[in-house]
PDB file of all heavy atoms in Angstrom:
ATOM      1  N   LYS V   1    -176.867-122.318 -22.809  1.00 60.00           N
ATOM      2  CA  LYS V   1    -177.328-121.807 -21.598  1.00 60.00           C
ATOM      3  C   LYS V   1    -177.848-122.907 -20.609  1.00 60.00           C
ATOM      4  O   LYS V   1    -178.292-123.968 -21.031  1.00 60.00           O
ATOM      5  CB  LYS V   1    -178.493-120.822 -21.913  1.00 60.00           C
ATOM      6  CG  LYS V   1    -178.116-119.583 -22.651  1.00 60.00           C
ATOM      7  CD  LYS V   1    -177.302-118.700 -21.706  1.00 60.00           C
ATOM      8  CE  LYS V   1    -177.041-117.347 -22.448  1.00 60.00           C
ATOM      9  NZ  LYS V   1    -176.210-116.388 -21.743  1.00 60.00           N
ATOM     10  N   LYS V   2    -177.628-122.714 -19.297  1.00 48.00           N
ATOM     11  CA  LYS V   2    -177.937-123.726 -18.445  1.00 48.00           C
ATOM     12  C   LYS V   2    -179.460-124.247 -18.476  1.00 48.00           C
ATOM     13  O   LYS V   2    -180.288-123.478 -18.759  1.00 48.00           O
ATOM     14  CB  LYS V   2    -177.643-123.206 -16.950  1.00 48.00           C
ATOM     15  CG  LYS V   2    -176.145-123.032 -16.717  1.00 48.00           C
ATOM     16  CD  LYS V   2    -175.792-122.450 -15.322  1.00 48.00           C
ATOM     17  CE  LYS V   2    -174.395-122.200 -15.149  1.00 48.00           C
ATOM     18  NZ  LYS V   2    -174.132-121.677 -13.740  1.00 48.00           N
ATOM     19  N   ASP V   3    -179.618-125.571 -18.116  1.00 53.00           N
ATOM     20  CA  ASP V   3    -180.952-126.085 -18.177  1.00 53.00           C
ATOM     21  C   ASP V   3    -181.826-125.384 -17.170  1.00 53.00           C
ATOM     22  O   ASP V   3    -183.060-125.292 -17.378  1.00 53.00           O
ATOM     23  CB  ASP V   3    -180.814-127.632 -17.807  1.00 53.00           C
ATOM     24  CG  ASP V   3    -180.283-128.470 -18.905  1.00 53.00           C
ATOM     25  OD1 ASP V   3    -180.226-127.899 -19.994  1.00 53.00           O
ATOM     26  OD2 ASP V   3    -179.846-129.527 -18.575  1.00 53.00           O
ATOM     27  N   SER V   4    -181.293-124.891 -16.086  1.00 49.00           N
ATOM     28  CA  SER V   4    -182.149-124.242 -15.113  1.00 49.00           C
ATOM     29  C   SER V   4    -182.753-122.929 -15.647  1.00 49.00           C
ATOM     30  O   SER V   4    -183.846-122.549 -15.316  1.00 49.00           O
ATOM     31  CB  SER V   4    -181.264-123.887 -13.873  1.00 49.00           C
ATOM     32  OG  SER V   4    -180.219-123.035 -14.190  1.00 49.00           O
ATOM     33  N   TYR V   5    -181.973-122.318 -16.590  1.00 55.00           N
ATOM     34  CA  TYR V   5    -182.569-121.143 -17.239  1.00 55.00           C
ATOM     35  C   TYR V   5    -183.740-121.386 -18.197  1.00 55.00           C
ATOM     36  O   TYR V   5    -184.808-120.820 -18.129  1.00 55.00           O
ATOM     37  CB  TYR V   5    -181.353-120.467 -18.135  1.00 55.00           C
ATOM     38  CG  TYR V   5    -181.690-119.171 -18.673  1.00 55.00           C
ATOM     39  CD1 TYR V   5    -182.233-118.100 -17.800  1.00 55.00           C
ATOM     40  CD2 TYR V   5    -181.625-118.936 -20.075  1.00 55.00           C
ATOM     41  CE1 TYR V   5    -182.569-116.836 -18.413  1.00 55.00           C
ATOM     42  CE2 TYR V   5    -181.981-117.769 -20.614  1.00 55.00           C
ATOM     43  CZ  TYR V   5    -182.383-116.624 -19.795  1.00 55.00           C
ATOM     44  OH  TYR V   5    -182.787-115.432 -20.322  1.00 55.00           O
ATOM     45  N   ARG V   6    -183.651-122.533 -18.909  1.00 55.00           N
ATOM     46  CA  ARG V   6    -184.667-122.912 -19.697  1.00 55.00           C
ATOM     47  C   ARG V   6    -185.865-123.296 -18.899  1.00 55.00           C
ATOM     48  O   ARG V   6    -187.075-123.053 -19.199  1.00 55.00           O
ATOM     49  CB  ARG V   6    -184.260-124.113 -20.598  1.00 55.00           C
ATOM     50  CG  ARG V   6    -183.427-123.751 -21.842  1.00 55.00           C
ATOM     51  CD  ARG V   6    -183.526-125.024 -22.835  1.00 55.00           C
ATOM     52  NE  ARG V   6    -182.573-124.784 -23.887  1.00 55.00           N
ATOM     53  CZ  ARG V   6    -181.295-125.218 -23.978  1.00 55.00           C
ATOM     54  NH1 ARG V   6    -180.842-125.847 -22.849  1.00 55.00           N
ATOM     55  NH2 ARG V   6    -180.547-124.928 -24.903  1.00 55.00           N
ATOM     56  N   GLU V   7    -185.682-124.069 -17.771  1.00 55.00           N
ATOM     57  CA  GLU V   7    -186.843-124.389 -17.003  1.00 55.00           C
ATOM     58  C   GLU V   7    -187.467-123.186 -16.332  1.00 55.00           C
ATOM     59  O   GLU V   7    -188.735-123.103 -16.315  1.00 55.00           O
ATOM     60  CB  GLU V   7    -186.285-125.289 -15.806  1.00 55.00           C
ATOM     61  CG  GLU V   7    -185.899-126.683 -16.320  1.00 55.00           C
ATOM     62  CD  GLU V   7    -185.264-127.492 -15.304  1.00 55.00           C
ATOM     63  OE1 GLU V   7    -185.150-126.908 -14.111  1.00 55.00           O
ATOM     64  OE2 GLU V   7    -184.723-128.611 -15.460  1.00 55.00           O
ATOM     65  N   ALA V   8    -186.728-122.255 -16.049  1.00 52.00           N
ATOM     66  CA  ALA V   8    -187.274-120.971 -15.531  1.00 52.00           C
ATOM     67  C   ALA V   8    -188.102-120.164 -16.575  1.00 52.00           C
ATOM     68  O   ALA V   8    -189.101-119.441 -16.194  1.00 52.00           O
ATOM     69  CB  ALA V   8    -186.240-120.151 -14.926  1.00 52.00           C
ATOM     70  N   LEU V   9    -187.793-120.456 -17.742  1.00 52.00           N
ATOM     71  CA  LEU V   9    -188.380-119.859 -18.926  1.00 52.00           C
ATOM     72  C   LEU V   9    -189.726-120.629 -19.462  1.00 52.00           C
ATOM     73  O   LEU V   9    -190.133-120.258 -20.554  1.00 52.00           O
ATOM     74  CB  LEU V   9    -187.474-119.464 -20.008  1.00 52.00           C
ATOM     75  CG  LEU V   9    -186.371-118.414 -19.630  1.00 52.00           C
ATOM     76  CD1 LEU V   9    -185.342-118.496 -20.805  1.00 52.00           C
ATOM     77  CD2 LEU V   9    -186.937-117.122 -19.419  1.00 52.00           C
ATOM     78  N   SER V  10    -190.050-121.730 -18.764  1.00 53.00           N
ATOM     79  CA  SER V  10    -191.154-122.624 -19.266  1.00 53.00           C
ATOM     80  C   SER V  10    -192.392-121.718 -19.363  1.00 53.00           C
ATOM     81  O   SER V  10    -192.564-120.780 -18.593  1.00 53.00           O
ATOM     82  CB  SER V  10    -191.277-123.692 -18.307  1.00 53.00           C
ATOM     83  OG  SER V  10    -191.613-123.240 -17.017  1.00 53.00           O
ATOM     84  N   LYS V  11    -193.256-122.090 -20.269  1.00 47.00           N
ATOM     85  CA  LYS V  11    -194.523-121.325 -20.591  1.00 47.00           C
ATOM     86  C   LYS V  11    -195.363-121.190 -19.220  1.00 47.00           C
ATOM     87  O   LYS V  11    -195.487-122.138 -18.427  1.00 47.00           O
ATOM     88  CB  LYS V  11    -195.286-122.027 -21.691  1.00 47.00           C
ATOM     89  CG  LYS V  11    -194.588-121.828 -23.024  1.00 47.00           C
ATOM     90  CD  LYS V  11    -195.389-122.441 -24.052  1.00 47.00           C
ATOM     91  CE  LYS V  11    -194.857-122.170 -25.565  1.00 47.00           C
ATOM     92  NZ  LYS V  11    -193.689-122.913 -25.738  1.00 47.00           N
ATOM     93  N   GLU V  12    -196.024-120.153 -19.222  1.00 48.00           N
ATOM     94  CA  GLU V  12    -196.816-119.824 -18.015  1.00 48.00           C
ATOM     95  C   GLU V  12    -198.046-120.766 -18.070  1.00 48.00           C
ATOM     96  O   GLU V  12    -198.721-120.976 -19.062  1.00 48.00           O
ATOM     97  CB  GLU V  12    -197.278-118.289 -18.098  1.00 48.00           C
ATOM     98  CG  GLU V  12    -198.193-117.932 -17.027  1.00 48.00           C
ATOM     99  CD  GLU V  12    -198.623-116.512 -17.194  1.00 48.00           C
ATOM    100  OE1 GLU V  12    -198.825-116.118 -18.338  1.00 48.00           O
ATOM    101  OE2 GLU V  12    -198.583-115.836 -16.225  1.00 48.00           O
ATOM    102  N   SER V  13    -198.528-121.314 -16.913  1.00 45.00           N
ATOM    103  CA  SER V  13    -199.707-122.128 -16.848  1.00 45.00           C
ATOM    104  C   SER V  13    -200.952-121.321 -16.931  1.00 45.00           C
ATOM    105  O   SER V  13    -201.023-120.228 -16.583  1.00 45.00           O
ATOM    106  CB  SER V  13    -199.676-122.947 -15.621  1.00 45.00           C
ATOM    107  OG  SER V  13    -199.898-121.955 -14.431  1.00 45.00           O
ATOM    108  N   ALA V  14    -201.966-121.912 -17.426  1.00 46.00           N
ATOM    109  CA  ALA V  14    -203.255-121.349 -17.500  1.00 46.00           C
ATOM    110  C   ALA V  14    -203.751-120.938 -16.115  1.00 46.00           C
ATOM    111  O   ALA V  14    -204.380-119.911 -15.916  1.00 46.00           O
ATOM    112  CB  ALA V  14    -204.291-122.308 -18.124  1.00 46.00           C
ATOM    113  N   GLU V  15    -203.522-121.742 -15.059  1.00 48.00           N
ATOM    114  CA  GLU V  15    -204.057-121.402 -13.705  1.00 48.00           C
ATOM    115  C   GLU V  15    -203.285-120.169 -13.250  1.00 48.00           C
ATOM    116  O   GLU V  15    -203.984-119.404 -12.611  1.00 48.00           O
ATOM    117  CB  GLU V  15    -203.674-122.503 -12.786  1.00 48.00           C
ATOM    118  CG  GLU V  15    -204.132-122.273 -11.399  1.00 48.00           C
ATOM    119  CD  GLU V  15    -205.525-122.024 -11.248  1.00 48.00           C
ATOM    120  OE1 GLU V  15    -206.351-122.531 -11.956  1.00 48.00           O
ATOM    121  OE2 GLU V  15    -205.919-121.230 -10.290  1.00 48.00           O
ATOM    122  N   LYS V  16    -202.042-120.012 -13.600  1.00 50.00           N
ATOM    123  CA  LYS V  16    -201.318-118.777 -13.106  1.00 50.00           C
ATOM    124  C   LYS V  16    -201.962-117.568 -13.683  1.00 50.00           C
ATOM    125  O   LYS V  16    -202.110-116.527 -13.076  1.00 50.00           O
ATOM    126  CB  LYS V  16    -199.797-118.874 -13.488  1.00 50.00           C
ATOM    127  CG  LYS V  16    -198.907-117.788 -12.807  1.00 50.00           C
ATOM    128  CD  LYS V  16    -197.553-118.038 -13.194  1.00 50.00           C
ATOM    129  CE  LYS V  16    -196.601-116.999 -12.515  1.00 50.00           C
ATOM    130  NZ  LYS V  16    -195.200-117.271 -12.690  1.00 50.00           N
ATOM    131  N   ARG V  17    -202.374-117.612 -15.032  1.00 50.00           N
ATOM    132  CA  ARG V  17    -202.945-116.495 -15.794  1.00 50.00           C
ATOM    133  C   ARG V  17    -204.302-116.194 -15.196  1.00 50.00           C
ATOM    134  O   ARG V  17    -204.649-115.100 -15.012  1.00 50.00           O
ATOM    135  CB  ARG V  17    -203.010-116.872 -17.299  1.00 50.00           C
ATOM    136  CG  ARG V  17    -203.620-115.639 -18.086  1.00 50.00           C
ATOM    137  CD  ARG V  17    -203.422-115.913 -19.509  1.00 50.00           C
ATOM    138  NE  ARG V  17    -204.348-117.042 -19.921  1.00 50.00           N
ATOM    139  CZ  ARG V  17    -205.614-116.986 -20.153  1.00 50.00           C
ATOM    140  NH1 ARG V  17    -206.280-115.740 -20.086  1.00 50.00           N
ATOM    141  NH2 ARG V  17    -206.299-117.934 -20.561  1.00 50.00           N
ATOM    142  N   ARG V  18    -205.039-117.240 -14.798  1.00 49.00           N
ATOM    143  CA  ARG V  18    -206.480-116.992 -14.193  1.00 49.00           C
ATOM    144  C   ARG V  18    -206.239-116.371 -12.880  1.00 49.00           C
ATOM    145  O   ARG V  18    -207.100-115.398 -12.564  1.00 49.00           O
ATOM    146  CB  ARG V  18    -207.114-118.288 -14.017  1.00 49.00           C
ATOM    147  CG  ARG V  18    -207.645-118.964 -15.255  1.00 49.00           C
ATOM    148  CD  ARG V  18    -208.742-120.002 -15.131  1.00 49.00           C
ATOM    149  NE  ARG V  18    -208.095-121.190 -14.512  1.00 49.00           N
ATOM    150  CZ  ARG V  18    -207.549-122.154 -15.278  1.00 49.00           C
ATOM    151  NH1 ARG V  18    -207.542-122.130 -16.527  1.00 49.00           N
ATOM    152  NH2 ARG V  18    -206.964-123.182 -14.625  1.00 49.00           N
ATOM    153  N   GLU V  19    -205.251-116.652 -12.093  1.00 51.00           N
ATOM    154  CA  GLU V  19    -204.987-115.999 -10.780  1.00 51.00           C
ATOM    155  C   GLU V  19    -204.757-114.569 -11.003  1.00 51.00           C
ATOM    156  O   GLU V  19    -205.320-113.750 -10.244  1.00 51.00           O
ATOM    157  CB  GLU V  19    -203.808-116.745  -9.994  1.00 51.00           C
ATOM    158  CG  GLU V  19    -204.143-118.083  -9.486  1.00 51.00           C
ATOM    159  CD  GLU V  19    -203.002-118.683  -8.832  1.00 51.00           C
ATOM    160  OE1 GLU V  19    -201.933-118.097  -8.892  1.00 51.00           O
ATOM    161  OE2 GLU V  19    -203.093-119.895  -8.404  1.00 51.00           O
ATOM    162  N   ARG V  20    -203.958-114.290 -12.044  1.00 48.00           N
ATOM    163  CA  ARG V  20    -203.703-112.837 -12.226  1.00 48.00           C
ATOM    164  C   ARG V  20    -204.907-112.183 -12.723  1.00 48.00           C
ATOM    165  O   ARG V  20    -205.110-111.040 -12.363  1.00 48.00           O
ATOM    166  CB  ARG V  20    -202.641-112.738 -13.212  1.00 48.00           C
ATOM    167  CG  ARG V  20    -201.294-113.154 -12.783  1.00 48.00           C
ATOM    168  CD  ARG V  20    -200.197-112.956 -13.794  1.00 48.00           C
ATOM    169  NE  ARG V  20    -198.922-113.297 -13.294  1.00 48.00           N
ATOM    170  CZ  ARG V  20    -197.936-113.647 -14.076  1.00 48.00           C
ATOM    171  NH1 ARG V  20    -197.996-113.664 -15.339  1.00 48.00           N
ATOM    172  NH2 ARG V  20    -196.657-113.917 -13.455  1.00 48.00           N
ATOM    173  N   THR V  21    -205.749-112.767 -13.592  1.00 48.00           N
ATOM    174  CA  THR V  21    -206.893-112.127 -14.055  1.00 48.00           C
ATOM    175  C   THR V  21    -207.848-111.834 -12.906  1.00 48.00           C
ATOM    176  O   THR V  21    -208.566-110.719 -13.011  1.00 48.00           O
ATOM    177  CB  THR V  21    -207.617-113.057 -15.155  1.00 48.00           C
ATOM    178  OG1 THR V  21    -206.636-113.302 -16.083  1.00 48.00           O
ATOM    179  CG2 THR V  21    -208.885-112.342 -15.610  1.00 48.00           C
ATOM    180  N   ARG V  22    -207.973-112.545 -11.955  1.00 42.00           N
ATOM    181  CA  ARG V  22    -208.867-112.341 -10.899  1.00 42.00           C
ATOM    182  C   ARG V  22    -208.520-111.127 -10.100  1.00 42.00           C
ATOM    183  O   ARG V  22    -209.245-110.635  -9.275  1.00 42.00           O
ATOM    184  CB  ARG V  22    -208.921-113.561  -9.935  1.00 42.00           C
ATOM    185  CG  ARG V  22    -209.673-114.717 -10.542  1.00 42.00           C
ATOM    186  CD  ARG V  22    -210.117-115.768  -9.445  1.00 42.00           C
ATOM    187  NE  ARG V  22    -208.881-116.401  -9.109  1.00 42.00           N
ATOM    188  CZ  ARG V  22    -208.345-117.582  -9.569  1.00 42.00           C
ATOM    189  NH1 ARG V  22    -209.142-118.240 -10.587  1.00 42.00           N
ATOM    190  NH2 ARG V  22    -207.372-118.218  -8.937  1.00 42.00           N
ATOM    191  N   GLU V  23    -207.256-110.591 -10.263  1.00 47.00           N
ATOM    192  CA  GLU V  23    -206.761-109.577  -9.535  1.00 47.00           C
ATOM    193  C   GLU V  23    -207.304-108.144 -10.096  1.00 47.00           C
ATOM    194  O   GLU V  23    -207.111-107.063  -9.561  1.00 47.00           O
ATOM    195  CB  GLU V  23    -205.210-109.468  -9.357  1.00 47.00           C
ATOM    196  CG  GLU V  23    -204.711-110.673  -8.627  1.00 47.00           C
ATOM    197  CD  GLU V  23    -203.233-110.743  -8.659  1.00 47.00           C
ATOM    198  OE1 GLU V  23    -202.635-109.830  -9.314  1.00 47.00           O
ATOM    199  OE2 GLU V  23    -202.546-111.586  -7.998  1.00 47.00           O
ATOM    200  N   LEU V  24    -207.748-108.203 -11.420  1.00 47.00           N
ATOM    201  CA  LEU V  24    -208.130-107.002 -12.216  1.00 47.00           C
ATOM    202  C   LEU V  24    -209.401-106.410 -11.483  1.00 47.00           C
ATOM    203  O   LEU V  24    -210.182-106.876 -10.877  1.00 47.00           O
ATOM    204  CB  LEU V  24    -208.494-107.334 -13.537  1.00 47.00           C
ATOM    205  CG  LEU V  24    -207.266-107.683 -14.476  1.00 47.00           C
ATOM    206  CD1 LEU V  24    -207.707-108.124 -15.803  1.00 47.00           C
ATOM    207  CD2 LEU V  24    -206.374-106.486 -14.596  1.00 47.00           C
ATOM    208  N   THR V  25    -209.274-104.991 -11.636  1.00 44.00           N
ATOM    209  CA  THR V  25    -210.556-104.299 -11.244  1.00 44.00           C
ATOM    210  C   THR V  25    -211.510-104.178 -12.421  1.00 44.00           C
ATOM    211  O   THR V  25    -211.205-104.634 -13.541  1.00 44.00           O
ATOM    212  CB  THR V  25    -210.107-102.788 -10.875  1.00 44.00           C
ATOM    213  OG1 THR V  25    -209.708-102.157 -12.049  1.00 44.00           O
ATOM    214  CG2 THR V  25    -209.060-102.711  -9.781  1.00 44.00           C
ATOM    215  N   ASP V  26    -212.770-103.679 -12.205  1.00 49.00           N
ATOM    216  CA  ASP V  26    -213.590-103.600 -13.267  1.00 49.00           C
ATOM    217  C   ASP V  26    -213.563-102.349 -14.125  1.00 49.00           C
ATOM    218  O   ASP V  26    -214.381-102.091 -15.053  1.00 49.00           O
ATOM    219  CB  ASP V  26    -215.138-103.685 -12.693  1.00 49.00           C
ATOM    220  CG  ASP V  26    -215.358-105.015 -12.139  1.00 49.00           C
ATOM    221  OD1 ASP V  26    -214.840-105.958 -12.706  1.00 49.00           O
ATOM    222  OD2 ASP V  26    -216.187-105.078 -11.114  1.00 49.00           O
ATOM    223  N   GLU V  27    -212.547-101.515 -13.795  1.00 54.00           N
ATOM    224  CA  GLU V  27    -212.489-100.187 -14.454  1.00 54.00           C
ATOM    225  C   GLU V  27    -211.796-100.346 -15.838  1.00 54.00           C
ATOM    226  O   GLU V  27    -210.809-101.142 -15.918  1.00 54.00           O
ATOM    227  CB  GLU V  27    -211.594 -99.151 -13.650  1.00 54.00           C
ATOM    228  CG  GLU V  27    -212.266 -98.837 -12.269  1.00 54.00           C
ATOM    229  CD  GLU V  27    -211.416 -97.963 -11.418  1.00 54.00           C
ATOM    230  OE1 GLU V  27    -210.767 -97.085 -12.208  1.00 54.00           O
ATOM    231  OE2 GLU V  27    -211.457 -97.931 -10.302  1.00 54.00           O
ATOM    232  N   SER V  28    -212.258 -99.631 -16.858  1.00 57.00           N
ATOM    233  CA  SER V  28    -211.667 -99.673 -18.092  1.00 57.00           C
ATOM    234  C   SER V  28    -211.241 -98.357 -18.693  1.00 57.00           C
ATOM    235  O   SER V  28    -211.840 -97.315 -18.113  1.00 57.00           O
ATOM    236  CB  SER V  28    -212.662-100.343 -19.168  1.00 57.00           C
ATOM    237  OG  SER V  28    -213.784 -99.678 -19.318  1.00 57.00           O
ATOM    238  N   VAL V  29    -210.407 -98.251 -19.566  1.00 62.00           N
ATOM    239  CA  VAL V  29    -210.001 -97.021 -20.067  1.00 62.00           C
ATOM    240  C   VAL V  29    -210.816 -96.543 -21.282  1.00 62.00           C
ATOM    241  O   VAL V  29    -211.489 -95.577 -21.227  1.00 62.00           O
ATOM    242  CB  VAL V  29    -208.437 -97.049 -20.453  1.00 62.00           C
ATOM    243  CG1 VAL V  29    -207.983 -95.672 -21.073  1.00 62.00           C
ATOM    244  CG2 VAL V  29    -207.569 -97.463 -19.288  1.00 62.00           C
ATOM    245  N   HIS V  30    -210.802 -97.304 -22.319  1.00 81.00           N
ATOM    246  CA  HIS V  30    -211.582 -97.074 -23.499  1.00 81.00           C
ATOM    247  C   HIS V  30    -212.267 -98.387 -23.947  1.00 81.00           C
ATOM    248  O   HIS V  30    -211.833 -99.127 -24.707  1.00 81.00           O
ATOM    249  CB  HIS V  30    -210.790 -96.455 -24.688  1.00 81.00           C
ATOM    250  CG  HIS V  30    -209.897 -95.331 -24.370  1.00 81.00           C
ATOM    251  ND1 HIS V  30    -210.483 -94.144 -24.069  1.00 81.00           N
ATOM    252  CD2 HIS V  30    -208.560 -95.288 -24.227  1.00 81.00           C
ATOM    253  CE1 HIS V  30    -209.475 -93.288 -23.757  1.00 81.00           C
ATOM    254  NE2 HIS V  30    -208.300 -93.984 -23.936  1.00 81.00           N
ATOM    255  N   GLU V  31    -213.479 -98.539 -23.434  1.00 85.00           N
ATOM    256  CA  GLU V  31    -214.141 -99.791 -23.683  1.00 85.00           C
ATOM    257  C   GLU V  31    -214.772 -99.902 -25.110  1.00 85.00           C
ATOM    258  O   GLU V  31    -215.267 -98.905 -25.486  1.00 85.00           O
ATOM    259  CB  GLU V  31    -215.268-100.086 -22.666  1.00 85.00           C
ATOM    260  CG  GLU V  31    -215.852-101.540 -22.827  1.00 85.00           C
ATOM    261  CD  GLU V  31    -216.801-101.900 -21.698  1.00 85.00           C
ATOM    262  OE1 GLU V  31    -216.493-101.612 -20.585  1.00 85.00           O
ATOM    263  OE2 GLU V  31    -217.855-102.571 -22.055  1.00 85.00           O
ATOM    264  N   LEU V  32    -214.545-101.031 -25.837  1.00 90.00           N
ATOM    265  CA  LEU V  32    -215.145-101.224 -27.092  1.00 90.00           C
ATOM    266  C   LEU V  32    -215.889-102.446 -27.088  1.00 90.00           C
ATOM    267  O   LEU V  32    -215.684-103.526 -26.513  1.00 90.00           O
ATOM    268  CB  LEU V  32    -213.962-101.444 -28.104  1.00 90.00           C
ATOM    269  CG  LEU V  32    -212.781-100.556 -28.197  1.00 90.00           C
ATOM    270  CD1 LEU V  32    -211.709-100.963 -29.201  1.00 90.00           C
ATOM    271  CD2 LEU V  32    -213.308 -99.156 -28.660  1.00 90.00           C
ATOM    272  N   LYS V  33    -217.037-102.364 -27.758  1.00 93.00           N
ATOM    273  CA  LYS V  33    -218.067-103.381 -27.882  1.00 93.00           C
ATOM    274  C   LYS V  33    -218.160-103.702 -29.376  1.00 93.00           C
ATOM    275  O   LYS V  33    -218.444-102.972 -30.170  1.00 93.00           O
ATOM    276  CB  LYS V  33    -219.445-102.996 -27.224  1.00 93.00           C
ATOM    277  CG  LYS V  33    -219.453-102.692 -25.829  1.00 93.00           C
ATOM    278  CD  LYS V  33    -220.882-102.316 -25.368  1.00 93.00           C
ATOM    279  CE  LYS V  33    -220.749-101.991 -23.787  1.00 93.00           C
ATOM    280  NZ  LYS V  33    -222.046-101.600 -23.300  1.00 93.00           N
ATOM    281  N   LEU V  34    -217.805-105.000 -29.615  1.00 94.00           N
ATOM    282  CA  LEU V  34    -217.724-105.464 -31.012  1.00 94.00           C
ATOM    283  C   LEU V  34    -218.644-106.595 -31.264  1.00 94.00           C
ATOM    284  O   LEU V  34    -219.067-107.327 -30.517  1.00 94.00           O
ATOM    285  CB  LEU V  34    -216.298-106.021 -31.253  1.00 94.00           C
ATOM    286  CG  LEU V  34    -215.134-104.938 -30.874  1.00 94.00           C
ATOM    287  CD1 LEU V  34    -213.881-105.689 -30.868  1.00 94.00           C
ATOM    288  CD2 LEU V  34    -215.186-103.803 -31.827  1.00 94.00           C
ATOM    289  N   LYS V  35    -219.028-106.685 -32.533  1.00 93.00           N
ATOM    290  CA  LYS V  35    -219.942-107.755 -33.115  1.00 93.00           C
ATOM    291  C   LYS V  35    -218.984-108.805 -33.688  1.00 93.00           C
ATOM    292  O   LYS V  35    -217.953-108.584 -34.019  1.00 93.00           O
ATOM    293  CB  LYS V  35    -220.955-107.171 -34.148  1.00 93.00           C
ATOM    294  CG  LYS V  35    -221.880-106.211 -33.545  1.00 93.00           C
ATOM    295  CD  LYS V  35    -222.919-105.683 -34.606  1.00 93.00           C
ATOM    296  CE  LYS V  35    -223.785-104.687 -34.147  1.00 93.00           C
ATOM    297  NZ  LYS V  35    -224.770-104.161 -35.185  1.00 93.00           N
ATOM    298  N   LYS V  36    -219.549-109.972 -33.817  1.00 94.00           N
ATOM    299  CA  LYS V  36    -218.912-111.183 -34.393  1.00 94.00           C
ATOM    300  C   LYS V  36    -218.377-110.688 -35.822  1.00 94.00           C
ATOM    301  O   LYS V  36    -219.027-110.128 -36.556  1.00 94.00           O
ATOM    302  CB  LYS V  36    -219.706-112.315 -34.631  1.00 94.00           C
ATOM    303  CG  LYS V  36    -219.017-113.571 -35.097  1.00 94.00           C
ATOM    304  CD  LYS V  36    -219.902-114.760 -35.022  1.00 94.00           C
ATOM    305  CE  LYS V  36    -219.220-115.957 -35.625  1.00 94.00           C
ATOM    306  NZ  LYS V  36    -220.005-117.211 -35.579  1.00 94.00           N
ATOM    307  N   ASP V  37    -217.076-110.982 -36.089  1.00 94.00           N
ATOM    308  CA  ASP V  37    -216.413-110.874 -37.394  1.00 94.00           C
ATOM    309  C   ASP V  37    -215.957-109.383 -37.609  1.00 94.00           C
ATOM    310  O   ASP V  37    -215.549-109.021 -38.682  1.00 94.00           O
ATOM    311  CB  ASP V  37    -217.205-111.303 -38.575  1.00 94.00           C
ATOM    312  CG  ASP V  37    -217.453-112.831 -38.600  1.00 94.00           C
ATOM    313  OD1 ASP V  37    -216.531-113.575 -38.190  1.00 94.00           O
ATOM    314  OD2 ASP V  37    -218.582-113.167 -38.974  1.00 94.00           O
ATOM    315  N   GLU V  38    -216.158-108.583 -36.629  1.00 95.00           N
ATOM    316  CA  GLU V  38    -215.677-107.089 -36.744  1.00 95.00           C
ATOM    317  C   GLU V  38    -214.301-107.108 -36.458  1.00 95.00           C
ATOM    318  O   GLU V  38    -213.696-107.661 -35.629  1.00 95.00           O
ATOM    319  CB  GLU V  38    -216.431-106.285 -35.684  1.00 95.00           C
ATOM    320  CG  GLU V  38    -216.182-104.779 -35.823  1.00 95.00           C
ATOM    321  CD  GLU V  38    -217.036-103.980 -34.962  1.00 95.00           C
ATOM    322  OE1 GLU V  38    -217.973-104.448 -34.275  1.00 95.00           O
ATOM    323  OE2 GLU V  38    -216.621-102.670 -34.802  1.00 95.00           O
ATOM    324  N   VAL V  39    -213.519-106.361 -37.466  1.00 95.00           N
ATOM    325  CA  VAL V  39    -212.150-106.213 -37.441  1.00 95.00           C
ATOM    326  C   VAL V  39    -211.701-105.276 -36.461  1.00 95.00           C
ATOM    327  O   VAL V  39    -212.229-104.088 -36.505  1.00 95.00           O
ATOM    328  CB  VAL V  39    -211.577-105.875 -38.884  1.00 95.00           C
ATOM    329  CG1 VAL V  39    -210.025-105.628 -38.844  1.00 95.00           C
ATOM    330  CG2 VAL V  39    -211.911-107.070 -39.810  1.00 95.00           C
TER     331      VAL V  39
END
């Protein structure tokens, strides 16, 4: 497969993920609150 395909499939940057996260609303569907070590 062409090198350009591999380059386009490079792993997503942390900054790109943070930008998407900032777009989220505060609404949740079924919120869960968990304690440390809870499965």
Side-chain angles (χ1 to χ4, degrees):
K1 293 291 183 182
K2 296 180 181 179
D3 290 339
S4 59
Y5 187 55
R6 282 200 189 92
E7 290 172 4
L9 296 172
S10 60
K11 291 184 173 72
E12 180 180 41
S13 68
E15 178 58 31
K16 188 173 183 181
R17 183 172 64 83
R18 283 195 294 271
E19 288 176 359
R20 288 179 179 162
T21 303
R22 287 195 290 268
E23 296 174 357
L24 286 174
T25 69
D26 292 328
E27 298 181 31
S28 61
V29 180
H30 306 290
E31 185 173 324
L32 304 178
K33 296 181 179 179
L34 306 168
K35 297 180 180 180
K36 185 177 180 180
D37 297 327
E38 189 170 346
V39 174

